Amino acid sequence: MRTIIAGNWKMHKDRRAAADLLAEVVSGLRSSPSRVEVIVAPAFPFLEMAAAMVAEEGVRVAAQNCHQEPQGAYTGEVSAAMLHSIGVDHCIVGHSERRQYYGESDDVVGRKVAALVAQGITPIYCCGESLEERDREAQFDVVATQLHAALAGQDHQVYGRLVVAYEPVWAIGTGRTATAAQAQEMHAFIRSELVTVAGEEAHDIPILYGGSCKPENAPELFACTDVNGGLIGGASLEASSFLELVRIAETVMA
Ligand code: PGA
C-alpha cells in the first residue's frame, strides 16, 4: 500500500511565502529522502510555480478544487484540463469547507472526480461527518452516503487512481482529533464501502486521515491498519512540522 502525506495549504501564503515553504520542504526531503509520497496543495496562482519547483524532486502538486465541466462560461472557475496543462497531478475534491461554504453536493463532487481522472489527475476525495452527525451516531450513514453518491458508477479507471481522505469535520482546524480507535473504525468502514462501490480494487485505494493531524498525534493515527497517510492542514504550513509528519509516516508505516 502507498503511504501519502499531503499538505493542504488552503487560502494561506502569498507567492514568496509559498515559494519559501516549498523550497524548505524540498530541501528537507533531499537531505532525508523518503519512500512516502509527498503532495503539496498551494492556492491556484502558485500551482505552476510549485510544479516547476518540484519537477525533479518526486514531490507532487495538488490543486484544492476544480470545476466539473471541461470548459465554458463559468466565471472564476478552473478546469481539470487547465490543471493538467500546468503540471498538476492531484486535486483535492469535496473538502468539507467546499461542501459547507460553496454548497458542493456529492453529485457535483462525483462529476469533479470523473473530470479529473479524464485528464489523468488523481482525485483526493474527502468525506466525513459533522459533530452533530457524530453526536447522533449517524457518522457511518453519512460517510456511506457520501461515498456511494459521489463514487458509485464511475468508470473503473477512477477506482485505479482514487485517493480517499476521511476528514471528520469536528476535527478540522479545531485542535480536536479523532482517537486512533475512531479513525481505524471509520477507515475500515470506508474500505468496506469502497469494496462495494469499486470491487476488489478498493483494497489498493489509499485512505488518508485529516483533521488536526500533527506530529504529536500522528504516530498512533498512522499506526492504524487502514490509515495510509494524512491530509494535513495547519501542520503543513510550517516545513518543520510537515517534514516531521513525513518522517513519522516513514517510520510507522513504510
Ligand atoms: P487541519 O486541516 O489539519 O488544519 O485540521 C485538515 C484539512 O482540512 O485538510
Side-chain angles (χ1 to χ4, degrees), residues 8 10 95 97 167 171-174 210-213 231-235:
N8 175 8
K10 306 191 181 181
H95 191 281
E97 288 150 16
E167 300 215 309
I172 295 177
T174 59
S212 297
C213 184
L231 179 54
I232 316 297

Side-chain angles (χ1 to χ4, degrees), residues 14-16 18-20 22 45-54 86:
D14 64 8
R15 187 180 198 283
R16 161 71 30 215
D20 288 351
L22 188 50
F46 314 127
L47 288 170
E48 187 165 15
M49 172 187 75
M53 284 178 70
V54 302
I86 57 167

Side-chain angles (χ1 to χ4, degrees), residues 121 142 189 214:
I121 297 175
V142 168
F189 175 77
K214 304 184 273 295

